[in-house]
């Protein structure tokens, strides 16, 4: 049963530490970063930098610390170079805010490990082929053959289909 963190009731429109299940990291893809008016817990509005994600996740109010991490991570200070890139978020329960220690969302200072889809026939990692990356190969073979296949198993499946042709 899912429980509701009390902090999610105060600013439920934005990503916060309460979004992490059991404090596990979350990998998301940056869609865009914009400046927009954000209304805080006390009802005060101010212009903030907000990061939106391609996945179905709440936007993240992005602070200078996280922006500096991304500039180092992606070797560019330009936000346009960050869009389309994956980041790994984690809850940091020791963020200094004035004299207080509070919960915050941070970005890991390394690129998330890319998970490669596995071939359902042989279990091998699916590699890119031609102009398709590994995920595109997986999607293509799943659609064409009804299962995710590496290029070697896809070739065998294509030959088996030809052998079943009665024409």
């Amino acid at each position: 049963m899912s429980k509701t963190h009390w902090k999610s009731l105060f600013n439920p429109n934005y990503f916060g530490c309460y979004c992490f299940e059991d404090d596990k990291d979350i990998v998301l893809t940056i869609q865009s970063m914009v400046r927009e008016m954000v209304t805080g817990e006390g009802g005060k509005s101010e212009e903030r930098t907000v990061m939106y994600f391609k996945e179905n996740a709440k936007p993240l109010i992005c602070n200078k610390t996280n922006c500096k991490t991304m500039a180092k991570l992606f070797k560019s200070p330009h936000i346009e170079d960050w869009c389309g890139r994956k980041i790994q978020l984690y809850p940091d329960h020791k963020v200094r805010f004035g004299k207080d220690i509070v919960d915050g969302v941070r970005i890991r200072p390394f690129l998330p490990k890319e998970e490669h889809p596995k071939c359902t026939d042989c279990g091998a990692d699916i590699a890119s082929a031609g102009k398709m990356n590994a995920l595109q190969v997986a999607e293509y073979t799943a659609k064409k053959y009804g299962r995710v296949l590496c290029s070697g198993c896809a070739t065998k499946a294509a030959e088996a289909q030809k052998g079943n042709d009665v024409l």
Side-chain angles (χ1 to χ4, degrees), residues 7-114:
K7 286 187 177 182
S8 69
L9 303 174
F10 288 91
N11 203 341
N13 299 324
Y14 295 96
F15 201 95
C17 272
Y18 53 84
C19 295
F20 293 92
E21 192 172 308
D22 298 326
D23 276 359
K24 292 182 182 172
D25 289 14
I26 298 173
V27 175
L28 296 170
T29 309
I30 302 166
Q31 179 174 320
S32 63
M33 292 186 67
V34 298
R35 294 286 292 173
E36 64 184 43
M37 293 304 288
V38 173
T39 303
E41 291 179 25
K44 180 183 172 191
S45 290
E46 65 180 302
E47 192 174 35
R48 303 289 302 268
T49 301
V50 180
M51 183 185 309
Y52 287 88
F53 302 103
K54 289 184 178 179
E55 295 82 3
N56 185 23
K58 295 178 183 187
L60 173 69
I61 298 170
C62 202
N63 59 24
K64 287 182 181 180
T65 300
N66 284 338
C67 285
K68 287 177 183 178
T69 299
M70 287 187 292
K72 288 179 185 174
L73 189 62
F74 302 132
K75 297 176 178 59
S76 172
H78 306 287
I79 61 172
E80 294 83 4
D81 295 335
W82 306 347
C83 295
R85 305 290 303 268
K86 290 188 180 294
I87 55 172
Q88 188 167 332
L89 301 174
Y90 70 97
D92 185 348
H93 302 289
K94 298 177 184 174
V95 174
R96 184 171 297 283
F97 186 72
K99 294 180 181 179
D100 297 327
I101 300 295
V102 298
D103 289 340
V105 177
R106 294 287 189 233
I107 298 170
R108 295 275 182 206
F110 52 81
L111 293 173
K113 182 181 176 190
E114 289 285 330

